[in-house]
Amino acid sequence: MDDNADTHSALKLPNIIYRPDLQSRRQRGLFALLAGVGWLIWLYLFLPLSTLLGWAFGSERFQAYVIDGHEHSWSSLMIYAVTVVLAGAALLIWAFYNYRRFRNADRRRPPSPLTTERLATSFGVDEAQVARLQQGRVATLYHDAEGHIIDIEMRSTPHRENGER
């Protein structure tokens, strides 16, 4: 028995199967909650950077013009807050609408296998030329000004320049 083959087969990892439809609603909700908490923790790590950027670009101006300014008041700050909440609500409604609309539609299907006929149609050549290209080792394709294939040159060995071997 070959020990190297046993080691290689023992190191092979299984394929990952992602099937959220096999999870209960509670499991999916818990996963979403944990993912949300993870994102909040990740964003929390950027607070020092946002504070530094705010300081560098003059965040004290917000305090001076919006909060402390006599021509502005807390009512203007409330208008800003309501605007932000409404924009967030609109995005949440849009997300919920898309979730309801596409929840049972799996649009991420793998493409159908590429046949010689479809490949020939795509490149504007006949199927015999595609078969010849697939069997050949080295090919040079010549194109016209529009990018269509006008000639195919097949070689059995790669073309060497500068006297290379």
Side-chain angles (χ1 to χ4, degrees), residues 9 28 109 120 147:
S9 64
R28 288 192 307 261
R109 292 190 177 99

Side-chain angles (χ1 to χ4, degrees), residues 14 19 43 45 54 66 71 79 87 90 98 116 118-119 121 124-125 147 153:
R19 294 285 310 268
L43 290 173
L45 296 174
V66 176
E71 62 274 1
I79 291 172
N98 281 317
T116 304
R118 285 181 49 207
L119 192 59
T121 303
V125 295
E153 180 184 318

Side-chain angles (χ1 to χ4, degrees), residues 54-102:
W55 174 76
F57 291 109
S59 65
E60 69 275 355
R61 292 180 185 158
F62 180 79
Q63 176 83 20
Y65 290 112
V66 176
I67 297 175
D68 294 337
H70 295 292
E71 62 274 1
H72 303 288
S73 65
W74 280 99
S75 62
S76 62
L77 184 59
M78 290 305 295
I79 291 172
Y80 297 149
V82 167
T83 303
V84 168
V85 167
L86 289 176
L91 289 174
L92 286 173
I93 290 169
W94 181 253
F96 182 71
Y97 164 75
N98 281 317
Y99 169 75
R100 297 279 298 186
R101 182 175 171 205
F102 298 113

Side-chain angles (χ1 to χ4, degrees), residues 7-53:
T7 304
H8 179 66
S9 64
L11 295 176
K12 185 177 179 185
L13 296 174
N15 292 332
I16 295 174
I17 300 173
Y18 179 68
R19 294 285 310 268
D21 57 309
L22 297 178
Q23 293 177 322
S24 68
R25 183 179 290 262
R26 183 177 178 193
Q27 289 172 329
R28 288 192 307 261
L30 181 63
F31 177 76
L33 177 69
L34 290 175
V37 169
W39 274 105
L40 288 175
I41 291 170
W42 188 82
L43 290 173
Y44 177 76
L45 296 174
F46 284 98
L47 280 179
L49 179 64
S50 64
T51 303
L52 181 65
L53 290 173

